[in-house]
Amino acid sequence: MAAIEHNAEIPAQPSRRQTLGTPHLLFFVVAAAAPVGFVLSAVPLAIGRGGIGTVGAFIVTAVVLLLFAVGFVAMAQRVQQVGGLYEFVVEGIGRVPGVGAAYVAVATYALAAIGATGAFAVFADIASQDLLGFEAPWIVWALGVAALMGVFGILRIEANAKILGAIIVVEIAMLLIVACVIVWQGGAEGPSIAPWQPKEVFGGHSGAMFAVTFAAFAGFEATAIYSDEVKNKRSIARATFLVIVALAALYSFVTWALITAYGNIGAVSAAATDPTTMFFTATQTYVGTWAVRIFEVLIVASWFASILAFHNATARYLATMGSNGMAPKWLNTIRRKSGTPWKASVSHTALTFVVITAFAVFDGDPFLDLYILGSTPAIIGIPLLELLAGIAIICYFYRRTPSRTRTVVLVTSGLAAACLAAVIAAIIANIELFTARTGAANVIVSALMFLLFLGGMAWALLRRDHTTPHSAHPRSSPDQHNQESS
Protein backbone atom coordinates (compact mmCIF):
# COMPACT_ATOMS: atom_id res chain seq x y z
CA MET A 1 0.00 0.00 0.00
CA ALA A 2 1.24 3.48 -0.82
CA ALA A 3 2.44 5.65 2.00
CA ILE A 4 -0.45 7.38 3.72
CA GLU A 5 -0.16 11.03 4.55
CA HIS A 6 -2.06 13.40 6.79
CA ASN A 7 -5.15 15.12 5.41
CA ALA A 8 -3.51 18.53 5.68
CA GLU A 9 -1.30 17.60 2.73
CA ILE A 10 -4.21 16.91 0.40
CA PRO A 11 -4.60 19.53 -2.34
CA ALA A 12 -7.90 21.18 -3.18
CA GLN A 13 -10.78 19.54 -4.99
CA PRO A 14 -14.50 20.19 -5.46
CA SER A 15 -16.83 19.12 -2.68
CA ARG A 16 -19.62 16.61 -3.10
CA ARG A 17 -22.86 18.07 -4.40
CA GLN A 18 -25.66 18.65 -1.83
CA THR A 19 -28.55 17.43 -3.98
CA LEU A 20 -30.12 14.53 -2.07
CA GLY A 21 -33.40 14.56 -0.15
CA THR A 22 -35.30 12.02 1.96
CA PRO A 23 -36.69 10.12 -1.08
CA HIS A 24 -33.19 9.73 -2.53
CA LEU A 25 -31.86 8.29 0.72
CA LEU A 26 -34.82 5.90 0.89
CA PHE A 27 -34.08 4.71 -2.63
CA PHE A 28 -30.44 3.96 -1.81
CA VAL A 29 -31.25 2.04 1.36
CA VAL A 30 -34.20 0.08 -0.03
CA ALA A 31 -32.20 -0.66 -3.19
CA ALA A 32 -29.40 -2.11 -1.06
CA ALA A 33 -31.97 -4.39 0.57
CA ALA A 34 -33.05 -5.61 -2.93
CA PRO A 35 -36.71 -6.41 -2.05
CA VAL A 36 -37.45 -8.78 -4.93
CA GLY A 37 -34.02 -10.38 -4.91
CA PHE A 38 -34.24 -10.83 -1.15
CA VAL A 39 -37.76 -12.27 -1.09
CA LEU A 40 -37.08 -14.69 -3.93
CA SER A 41 -33.62 -15.77 -2.74
CA ALA A 42 -33.11 -15.24 0.99
CA VAL A 43 -36.57 -15.48 2.56
CA PRO A 44 -37.02 -19.12 1.46
CA LEU A 45 -33.63 -19.90 3.04
CA ALA A 46 -34.82 -18.40 6.33
CA ILE A 47 -38.08 -20.36 6.20
CA GLY A 48 -36.41 -23.64 5.26
CA ARG A 49 -33.61 -23.41 7.81
CA GLY A 50 -35.27 -21.39 10.54
CA GLY A 51 -39.02 -21.94 10.24
CA ILE A 52 -42.25 -20.01 9.74
CA GLY A 53 -41.29 -17.69 12.60
CA THR A 54 -39.38 -15.68 9.98
CA VAL A 55 -42.52 -13.54 9.70
CA GLY A 56 -42.31 -12.43 13.33
CA ALA A 57 -38.51 -12.27 13.20
CA PHE A 58 -38.76 -9.32 10.80
CA ILE A 59 -40.79 -7.41 13.37
CA VAL A 60 -38.40 -8.26 16.21
CA THR A 61 -35.47 -7.14 14.05
CA ALA A 62 -37.21 -3.86 13.26
CA VAL A 63 -37.86 -3.20 16.96
CA VAL A 64 -34.16 -3.71 17.76
CA LEU A 65 -33.11 -1.43 14.91
CA LEU A 66 -35.63 1.25 15.91
CA LEU A 67 -34.14 1.22 19.42
CA PHE A 68 -30.72 1.62 17.82
CA ALA A 69 -32.02 4.36 15.52
CA VAL A 70 -32.99 6.58 18.47
CA GLY A 71 -29.35 6.94 19.50
CA PHE A 72 -28.19 6.89 15.88
CA VAL A 73 -30.29 9.93 14.98
CA ALA A 74 -29.40 11.78 18.20
CA MET A 75 -25.70 11.14 17.57
CA ALA A 76 -25.96 12.16 13.90
CA GLN A 77 -27.20 15.59 14.97
CA ARG A 78 -24.13 16.13 17.16
CA VAL A 79 -21.18 14.80 15.17
CA GLN A 80 -19.94 15.13 11.61
CA GLN A 81 -21.00 11.78 10.22
CA VAL A 82 -19.44 11.80 6.72
CA GLY A 83 -17.79 8.51 7.65
CA GLY A 84 -21.03 6.93 8.84
CA LEU A 85 -21.02 4.68 11.88
CA TYR A 86 -17.27 4.49 12.26
CA GLU A 87 -17.15 8.20 13.07
CA PHE A 88 -19.65 7.51 15.84
CA VAL A 89 -17.15 5.00 17.22
CA VAL A 90 -14.38 7.61 17.00
CA GLU A 91 -16.44 10.17 18.93
CA GLY A 92 -17.76 7.72 21.51
CA ILE A 93 -14.91 5.29 22.17
CA GLY A 94 -11.82 6.71 20.54
CA ARG A 95 -9.63 6.92 17.44
CA VAL A 96 -8.13 3.42 17.57
CA PRO A 97 -11.41 1.43 17.71
CA GLY A 98 -12.85 3.95 15.25
CA VAL A 99 -10.26 2.98 12.66
CA GLY A 100 -11.03 -0.69 13.32
CA ALA A 101 -14.74 0.02 12.76
CA ALA A 102 -13.90 1.81 9.51
CA TYR A 103 -12.24 -1.32 8.12
CA VAL A 104 -15.25 -3.40 9.15
CA ALA A 105 -17.58 -0.94 7.44
CA VAL A 106 -15.80 -0.72 4.11
CA ALA A 107 -15.24 -4.50 3.97
CA THR A 108 -18.90 -5.17 4.76
CA TYR A 109 -20.24 -3.05 1.93
CA ALA A 110 -17.52 -4.03 -0.53
CA LEU A 111 -18.10 -7.76 0.03
CA ALA A 112 -21.88 -7.36 -0.10
CA ALA A 113 -21.61 -5.77 -3.56
CA ILE A 114 -19.08 -8.30 -4.84
CA GLY A 115 -21.01 -11.30 -3.53
CA ALA A 116 -24.26 -10.04 -5.06
CA THR A 117 -22.73 -10.22 -8.54
CA GLY A 118 -22.91 -14.01 -8.21
CA ALA A 119 -26.64 -13.94 -7.49
CA PHE A 120 -27.14 -11.48 -10.35
CA ALA A 121 -25.31 -13.79 -12.75
CA VAL A 122 -27.51 -16.78 -11.87
CA PHE A 123 -30.83 -14.99 -12.25
CA ALA A 124 -29.73 -13.01 -15.30
CA ASP A 125 -28.90 -16.26 -17.08
CA ILE A 126 -32.26 -17.81 -16.09
CA ALA A 127 -34.17 -14.77 -17.35
CA SER A 128 -32.15 -14.66 -20.56
CA GLN A 129 -32.82 -18.33 -21.32
CA ASP A 130 -36.54 -18.15 -20.55
CA LEU A 131 -37.26 -14.84 -22.26
CA LEU A 132 -34.67 -14.65 -25.06
CA GLY A 133 -33.41 -18.18 -25.51
CA PHE A 134 -29.88 -16.90 -24.94
CA GLU A 135 -27.36 -18.58 -22.65
CA ALA A 136 -23.90 -17.42 -21.54
CA PRO A 137 -21.30 -18.49 -18.95
CA TRP A 138 -21.99 -16.96 -15.55
CA ILE A 139 -18.74 -14.99 -15.59
CA VAL A 140 -20.03 -12.97 -18.56
CA TRP A 141 -23.03 -11.80 -16.55
CA ALA A 142 -20.97 -11.17 -13.42
CA LEU A 143 -18.27 -9.14 -15.18
CA GLY A 144 -20.94 -7.33 -17.18
CA VAL A 145 -22.80 -6.13 -14.09
CA ALA A 146 -19.48 -5.19 -12.44
CA ALA A 147 -18.65 -3.00 -15.43
CA LEU A 148 -22.12 -1.43 -15.35
CA MET A 149 -21.69 -0.83 -11.61
CA GLY A 150 -18.44 0.99 -12.33
CA VAL A 151 -20.02 3.22 -14.96
CA PHE A 152 -22.94 4.25 -12.74
CA GLY A 153 -20.60 4.64 -9.78
CA ILE A 154 -18.96 7.72 -11.29
CA LEU A 155 -22.17 9.37 -12.47
CA ARG A 156 -24.02 11.99 -10.46
CA ILE A 157 -25.48 10.48 -7.32
CA GLU A 158 -28.98 11.86 -7.99
CA ALA A 159 -29.00 10.05 -11.35
CA ASN A 160 -28.33 6.80 -9.50
CA ALA A 161 -31.20 7.60 -7.12
CA LYS A 162 -33.66 8.11 -9.97
CA ILE A 163 -32.75 4.78 -11.56
CA LEU A 164 -32.95 2.95 -8.25
CA GLY A 165 -36.24 4.65 -7.42
CA ALA A 166 -37.90 3.47 -10.62
CA ILE A 167 -36.79 -0.12 -10.01
CA ILE A 168 -37.91 -0.08 -6.38
CA VAL A 169 -41.41 1.23 -7.11
CA VAL A 170 -42.07 -1.60 -9.57
CA GLU A 171 -40.50 -4.18 -7.23
CA ILE A 172 -42.67 -3.26 -4.27
CA ALA A 173 -45.83 -2.99 -6.37
CA MET A 174 -45.41 -6.51 -7.79
CA LEU A 175 -44.56 -8.04 -4.40
CA LEU A 176 -47.69 -6.52 -2.86
CA ILE A 177 -49.87 -7.61 -5.77
CA VAL A 178 -48.80 -11.25 -5.44
CA ALA A 179 -49.02 -11.21 -1.64
CA CYS A 180 -52.50 -9.68 -1.64
CA VAL A 181 -53.79 -12.16 -4.22
CA ILE A 182 -52.49 -15.13 -2.21
CA VAL A 183 -54.03 -13.87 1.04
CA TRP A 184 -57.31 -13.02 -0.73
CA GLN A 185 -57.55 -16.54 -2.15
CA GLY A 186 -56.71 -18.08 1.23
CA GLY A 187 -53.63 -20.04 0.22
CA ALA A 188 -53.35 -23.76 0.89
CA GLU A 189 -54.93 -23.84 4.33
CA GLY A 190 -56.14 -20.31 4.97
CA PRO A 191 -54.25 -17.48 6.68
CA SER A 192 -52.67 -18.44 10.02
CA ILE A 193 -51.38 -16.39 12.96
CA ALA A 194 -48.84 -19.10 13.89
CA PRO A 195 -45.90 -17.38 12.08
CA TRP A 196 -46.29 -14.43 14.45
CA GLN A 197 -46.20 -16.47 17.66
CA PRO A 198 -43.14 -16.11 19.95
CA LYS A 199 -42.56 -19.88 20.10
CA GLU A 200 -42.06 -19.89 16.33
CA VAL A 201 -39.88 -16.78 16.34
CA PHE A 202 -37.53 -17.75 19.18
CA GLY A 203 -37.64 -21.53 19.00
CA GLY A 204 -35.57 -23.90 16.91
CA HIS A 205 -32.89 -22.38 14.69
CA SER A 206 -33.67 -18.74 15.43
CA GLY A 207 -30.09 -17.76 14.60
CA ALA A 208 -30.61 -18.76 10.97
CA MET A 209 -33.75 -16.63 10.79
CA PHE A 210 -32.16 -13.57 12.35
CA ALA A 211 -29.11 -13.87 10.11
CA VAL A 212 -31.46 -13.37 7.19
CA THR A 213 -33.81 -10.80 8.75
CA PHE A 214 -30.97 -8.51 9.85
CA ALA A 215 -29.50 -8.81 6.36
CA ALA A 216 -32.87 -7.61 5.05
CA PHE A 217 -32.20 -4.19 6.57
CA ALA A 218 -28.61 -4.08 5.34
CA GLY A 219 -27.43 -0.56 4.71
CA PHE A 220 -30.14 1.39 6.54
CA GLU A 221 -27.42 3.08 8.60
CA ALA A 222 -25.68 4.12 5.38
CA THR A 223 -27.95 7.18 5.32
CA ALA A 224 -25.23 8.87 7.39
CA ILE A 225 -22.47 8.48 4.81
CA TYR A 226 -24.40 10.72 2.39
CA SER A 227 -24.46 13.59 4.90
CA ASP A 228 -22.19 15.72 2.67
CA GLU A 229 -24.63 15.27 -0.22
CA VAL A 230 -28.02 15.94 1.42
CA LYS A 231 -29.84 19.25 1.16
CA ASN A 232 -31.22 19.00 4.70
CA LYS A 233 -29.60 17.06 7.54
CA ARG A 234 -33.06 16.15 8.88
CA SER A 235 -33.46 13.94 5.83
CA ILE A 236 -31.13 11.43 7.50
CA ALA A 237 -33.42 11.06 10.53
CA ARG A 238 -36.58 10.81 8.42
CA ALA A 239 -35.07 8.26 6.05
CA THR A 240 -33.68 6.13 8.89
CA PHE A 241 -36.99 5.65 10.72
CA LEU A 242 -39.09 5.41 7.54
CA VAL A 243 -36.97 2.73 5.94
CA ILE A 244 -36.96 0.48 9.03
CA VAL A 245 -40.74 0.64 9.40
CA ALA A 246 -41.42 0.29 5.67
CA LEU A 247 -39.10 -2.68 5.15
CA ALA A 248 -40.42 -4.46 8.25
CA ALA A 249 -44.02 -4.10 7.08
CA LEU A 250 -43.21 -5.17 3.51
CA TYR A 251 -41.06 -8.20 4.35
CA SER A 252 -43.27 -9.45 7.15
CA PHE A 253 -46.45 -9.27 5.06
CA VAL A 254 -44.95 -10.78 1.90
CA THR A 255 -43.29 -13.60 3.89
CA TRP A 256 -46.57 -14.33 5.67
CA ALA A 257 -48.34 -14.48 2.29
CA LEU A 258 -45.68 -16.84 0.91
CA ILE A 259 -46.12 -19.19 3.88
CA THR A 260 -49.91 -18.95 3.46
CA ALA A 261 -49.55 -20.08 -0.16
CA TYR A 262 -48.11 -23.43 0.96
CA GLY A 263 -49.44 -23.81 4.50
CA ASN A 264 -47.25 -23.78 7.60
CA ILE A 265 -45.81 -27.27 7.19
CA GLY A 266 -45.78 -27.19 3.40
CA ALA A 267 -43.89 -23.89 3.34
CA VAL A 268 -40.99 -25.24 5.40
CA SER A 269 -40.84 -28.35 3.24
CA ALA A 270 -40.91 -26.39 -0.03
CA ALA A 271 -38.30 -23.93 1.20
CA ALA A 272 -35.97 -26.72 2.33
CA THR A 273 -36.39 -28.69 -0.91
CA ASP A 274 -35.97 -25.97 -3.54
CA PRO A 275 -35.78 -22.41 -2.16
CA THR A 276 -34.91 -20.79 -5.49
CA THR A 277 -38.26 -21.71 -7.09
CA MET A 278 -40.52 -21.33 -4.04
CA PHE A 279 -41.78 -17.83 -4.79
CA PHE A 280 -41.99 -18.45 -8.55
CA THR A 281 -44.16 -21.53 -7.96
CA ALA A 282 -46.50 -19.63 -5.64
CA THR A 283 -46.76 -16.78 -8.14
CA GLN A 284 -47.51 -19.18 -11.00
CA THR A 285 -50.21 -20.94 -8.95
CA TYR A 286 -52.05 -17.92 -7.58
CA VAL A 287 -51.39 -15.12 -10.09
CA GLY A 288 -50.25 -16.57 -13.39
CA THR A 289 -47.41 -16.91 -15.88
CA TRP A 290 -47.39 -13.20 -16.72
CA ALA A 291 -46.36 -12.35 -13.17
CA VAL A 292 -43.61 -14.97 -13.22
CA ARG A 293 -42.13 -13.43 -16.34
CA ILE A 294 -42.17 -9.97 -14.76
CA PHE A 295 -40.41 -11.31 -11.67
CA GLU A 296 -37.75 -12.96 -13.81
CA VAL A 297 -36.85 -9.49 -15.06
CA LEU A 298 -37.37 -7.76 -11.74
CA ILE A 299 -35.08 -10.04 -9.80
CA VAL A 300 -32.25 -9.17 -12.18
CA ALA A 301 -32.98 -5.45 -11.83
CA SER A 302 -33.29 -5.86 -8.07
CA TRP A 303 -29.85 -7.44 -7.71
CA PHE A 304 -28.34 -4.73 -9.91
CA ALA A 305 -29.93 -2.04 -7.71
CA SER A 306 -28.50 -3.74 -4.63
CA ILE A 307 -25.03 -4.00 -6.16
CA LEU A 308 -25.07 -0.33 -7.15
CA ALA A 309 -26.27 0.83 -3.72
CA PHE A 310 -23.57 -1.15 -1.89
CA HIS A 311 -20.98 0.06 -4.39
CA ASN A 312 -21.90 3.71 -3.78
CA ALA A 313 -21.61 3.17 -0.02
CA THR A 314 -18.23 1.46 -0.45
CA ALA A 315 -16.86 4.29 -2.58
CA ARG A 316 -17.87 6.89 -0.01
CA TYR A 317 -16.35 4.95 2.86
CA LEU A 318 -13.10 4.59 0.90
CA ALA A 319 -13.08 8.28 0.04
CA THR A 320 -13.59 9.35 3.64
CA MET A 321 -10.92 6.92 4.85
CA GLY A 322 -8.58 8.35 2.21
CA SER A 323 -9.25 11.88 3.44
CA ASN A 324 -8.12 11.15 6.98
CA GLY A 325 -5.18 8.81 6.58
CA MET A 326 -6.74 5.36 6.89
CA ALA A 327 -6.30 4.58 3.18
CA PRO A 328 -4.35 6.12 0.27
CA LYS A 329 -5.28 9.79 0.00
CA TRP A 330 -6.00 9.59 -3.75
CA LEU A 331 -9.17 7.60 -2.95
CA ASN A 332 -10.71 10.91 -1.91
CA THR A 333 -10.40 12.38 -5.42
CA ILE A 334 -13.76 13.89 -6.39
CA ARG A 335 -14.89 14.08 -10.03
CA ARG A 336 -15.72 17.71 -10.79
CA LYS A 337 -18.71 17.08 -13.09
CA SER A 338 -20.56 14.63 -10.86
CA GLY A 339 -19.18 15.34 -7.40
CA THR A 340 -18.54 11.60 -6.86
CA PRO A 341 -15.39 9.95 -5.41
CA TRP A 342 -14.48 8.41 -8.74
CA LYS A 343 -11.11 6.87 -7.87
CA ALA A 344 -12.63 5.06 -4.91
CA SER A 345 -15.40 3.83 -7.20
CA VAL A 346 -12.97 2.59 -9.86
CA SER A 347 -10.85 0.86 -7.20
CA HIS A 348 -13.80 -1.13 -5.89
CA THR A 349 -14.83 -1.99 -9.46
CA ALA A 350 -11.33 -3.29 -10.19
CA LEU A 351 -11.36 -5.42 -7.03
CA THR A 352 -14.73 -6.84 -8.05
CA PHE A 353 -13.31 -7.88 -11.43
CA VAL A 354 -10.38 -9.62 -9.73
CA VAL A 355 -12.58 -11.56 -7.28
CA ILE A 356 -15.07 -12.67 -9.95
CA THR A 357 -12.24 -13.84 -12.20
CA ALA A 358 -10.61 -15.75 -9.33
CA PHE A 359 -13.84 -17.62 -8.54
CA ALA A 360 -14.26 -18.52 -12.20
CA VAL A 361 -10.66 -19.74 -12.55
CA PHE A 362 -11.08 -22.04 -9.56
CA ASP A 363 -14.48 -23.33 -10.81
CA GLY A 364 -16.47 -21.65 -8.06
CA ASP A 365 -20.25 -21.70 -8.15
CA PRO A 366 -21.70 -18.20 -8.66
CA PHE A 367 -24.45 -18.67 -6.05
CA LEU A 368 -23.13 -21.17 -3.51
CA ASP A 369 -19.58 -19.83 -3.53
CA LEU A 370 -19.40 -16.25 -4.80
CA TYR A 371 -22.73 -15.11 -3.34
CA ILE A 372 -23.04 -17.21 -0.18
CA LEU A 373 -19.38 -17.22 0.89
CA GLY A 374 -18.77 -13.72 -0.41
CA SER A 375 -21.66 -12.08 1.41
CA THR A 376 -21.75 -14.13 4.63
CA PRO A 377 -19.04 -12.02 6.33
CA ALA A 378 -21.21 -8.97 5.61
CA ILE A 379 -24.10 -10.59 7.50
CA ILE A 380 -21.88 -10.56 10.58
CA GLY A 381 -20.25 -7.22 9.74
CA ILE A 382 -23.51 -5.25 9.69
CA PRO A 383 -24.71 -6.08 13.24
CA LEU A 384 -21.10 -5.89 14.48
CA LEU A 385 -20.77 -2.36 13.12
CA GLU A 386 -24.12 -1.45 14.67
CA LEU A 387 -23.05 -2.96 18.00
CA LEU A 388 -19.82 -0.94 18.02
CA ALA A 389 -21.76 2.21 17.15
CA GLY A 390 -24.33 1.44 19.86
CA ILE A 391 -21.60 1.14 22.49
CA ALA A 392 -20.05 4.37 21.20
CA ILE A 393 -23.38 6.19 21.45
CA ILE A 394 -23.76 5.04 25.05
CA CYS A 395 -20.25 6.24 25.91
CA TYR A 396 -20.78 9.56 24.13
CA PHE A 397 -24.04 10.44 25.85
CA TYR A 398 -22.93 9.10 29.22
CA ARG A 399 -20.32 11.87 29.30
CA ARG A 400 -22.93 14.55 28.56
CA THR A 401 -24.89 16.63 31.04
CA PRO A 402 -27.93 14.68 32.33
CA SER A 403 -31.05 15.44 30.33
CA ARG A 404 -34.20 13.76 29.08
CA THR A 405 -32.59 13.07 25.71
CA ARG A 406 -29.55 11.55 27.37
CA THR A 407 -31.68 9.19 29.47
CA VAL A 408 -33.76 8.02 26.50
CA VAL A 409 -30.67 7.44 24.35
CA LEU A 410 -28.83 5.52 27.07
CA VAL A 411 -31.79 3.20 27.68
CA THR A 412 -32.64 2.54 24.02
CA SER A 413 -29.02 2.17 22.94
CA GLY A 414 -28.28 -0.17 25.85
CA LEU A 415 -31.20 -2.42 24.93
CA ALA A 416 -30.22 -2.35 21.25
CA ALA A 417 -26.59 -3.19 22.00
CA ALA A 418 -27.57 -6.16 24.17
CA CYS A 419 -29.88 -7.48 21.44
CA LEU A 420 -27.27 -6.98 18.73
CA ALA A 421 -24.67 -8.89 20.75
CA ALA A 422 -27.14 -11.77 21.14
CA VAL A 423 -27.91 -11.70 17.42
CA ILE A 424 -24.22 -11.87 16.46
CA ALA A 425 -23.73 -14.84 18.78
CA ALA A 426 -26.79 -16.59 17.32
CA ILE A 427 -25.65 -15.99 13.73
CA ILE A 428 -22.19 -17.41 14.41
CA ALA A 429 -23.66 -20.40 16.26
CA ASN A 430 -25.86 -21.18 13.24
CA ILE A 431 -23.46 -20.14 10.49
CA GLU A 432 -23.37 -23.62 8.92
CA LEU A 433 -27.11 -23.39 8.23
CA PHE A 434 -26.47 -20.39 6.03
CA THR A 435 -23.26 -21.45 4.31
CA ALA A 436 -24.24 -25.14 4.02
CA ARG A 437 -20.63 -25.94 4.89
CA THR A 438 -18.65 -27.23 7.83
CA GLY A 439 -15.10 -26.81 9.06
CA ALA A 440 -12.59 -24.14 8.10
CA ALA A 441 -14.84 -22.17 5.75
CA ASN A 442 -17.24 -21.35 8.57
CA VAL A 443 -14.41 -20.37 10.88
CA ILE A 444 -12.96 -18.02 8.28
CA VAL A 445 -16.21 -16.25 7.39
CA SER A 446 -17.17 -15.99 11.06
CA ALA A 447 -13.83 -14.54 12.14
CA LEU A 448 -13.09 -12.25 9.18
CA MET A 449 -14.84 -9.11 10.43
CA PHE A 450 -13.41 -9.47 13.94
CA LEU A 451 -9.92 -9.86 12.46
CA LEU A 452 -10.44 -6.76 10.33
CA PHE A 453 -11.52 -4.82 13.40
CA LEU A 454 -8.40 -5.89 15.31
CA GLY A 455 -6.24 -5.28 12.24
CA GLY A 456 -7.64 -1.78 11.85
CA MET A 457 -6.87 -0.98 15.48
CA ALA A 458 -3.33 -2.31 15.05
CA TRP A 459 -2.88 -0.14 11.95
CA ALA A 460 -4.12 2.90 13.91
CA LEU A 461 -1.60 2.26 16.66
CA LEU A 462 1.23 1.87 14.16
CA ARG A 463 0.21 4.98 12.22
CA ARG A 464 -0.69 7.06 15.26
CA ASP A 465 0.67 10.27 13.73
CA HIS A 466 -0.87 9.76 10.31
CA THR A 467 -4.48 8.71 10.91
CA THR A 468 -6.78 11.57 11.82
CA PRO A 469 -10.47 10.59 11.81
CA HIS A 470 -12.61 13.15 10.03
CA SER A 471 -14.62 14.08 13.08
CA ALA A 472 -11.44 14.91 14.97
CA HIS A 473 -10.94 18.06 12.93
CA PRO A 474 -13.22 20.67 11.30
CA ARG A 475 -15.19 19.61 8.27
CA SER A 476 -13.24 20.07 5.06
CA SER A 477 -14.12 22.99 2.85
CA PRO A 478 -14.15 22.63 -0.93
CA ASP A 479 -10.57 23.86 -1.18
CA GLN A 480 -9.18 21.13 1.11
CA HIS A 481 -9.56 18.22 -1.29
CA ASN A 482 -7.81 16.80 -4.31
CA GLN A 483 -8.06 18.73 -7.55
CA GLU A 484 -9.51 16.64 -10.35
CA SER A 485 -11.14 17.94 -13.51
CA SER A 486 -12.19 14.67 -15.05
Side-chain angles (χ1 to χ4, degrees), residues 425-483:
I427 291 173
I428 293 174
N430 292 272
I431 199 72
E432 73 279 356
L433 295 175
F434 189 79
T435 63
R437 288 171 169 81
T438 59
N442 289 334
V443 174
I444 293 171
V445 298
S446 298
L448 181 59
M449 289 301 168
F450 297 97
L451 293 175
L452 283 171
F453 178 64
L454 295 175
M457 290 198 297
W459 173 260
L461 290 171
L462 291 172
R463 304 287 296 180
R464 183 178 295 276
D465 297 329
H466 297 274
T467 54
T468 305
H470 196 286
S471 53
H473 50 72
R475 183 180 293 247
S476 301
S477 62
D479 60 358
Q480 288 178 299
H481 299 280
N482 290 340
Q483 181 70 35

Side-chain angles (χ1 to χ4, degrees), residues 83 85-105 321 326 384-385 387-389 391-392 395 399 449-450 452-461 464 467 469:
L85 293 186
Y86 86 74
E87 288 204 18
F88 290 14
V89 179
V90 171
E91 290 285 350
I93 307 176
R95 181 185 62 86
V96 173
V99 174
Y103 280 83
V104 171
M321 291 170 69
M326 289 182 282
L384 175 59
L385 188 61
L387 173 60
L388 292 170
I391 295 172
C395 294
R399 297 193 297 265
M449 289 301 168
F450 297 97
L452 283 171
F453 178 64
L454 295 175
M457 290 198 297
W459 173 260
L461 290 171
R464 183 178 295 276
T467 54

Side-chain angles (χ1 to χ4, degrees), residues 174-218:
M174 283 302 299
L175 286 173
L176 290 176
I177 288 172
V178 172
C180 287
V181 170
I182 291 172
V183 173
W184 177 261
Q185 294 185 18
E189 303 169 353
S192 169
I193 63 170
W196 307 89
Q197 294 177 349
K199 68 177 183 179
E200 298 291 348
V201 177
F202 299 104
H205 299 294
S206 59
M209 285 190 297
F210 284 112
V212 174
T213 57
F214 268 85
F217 296 84

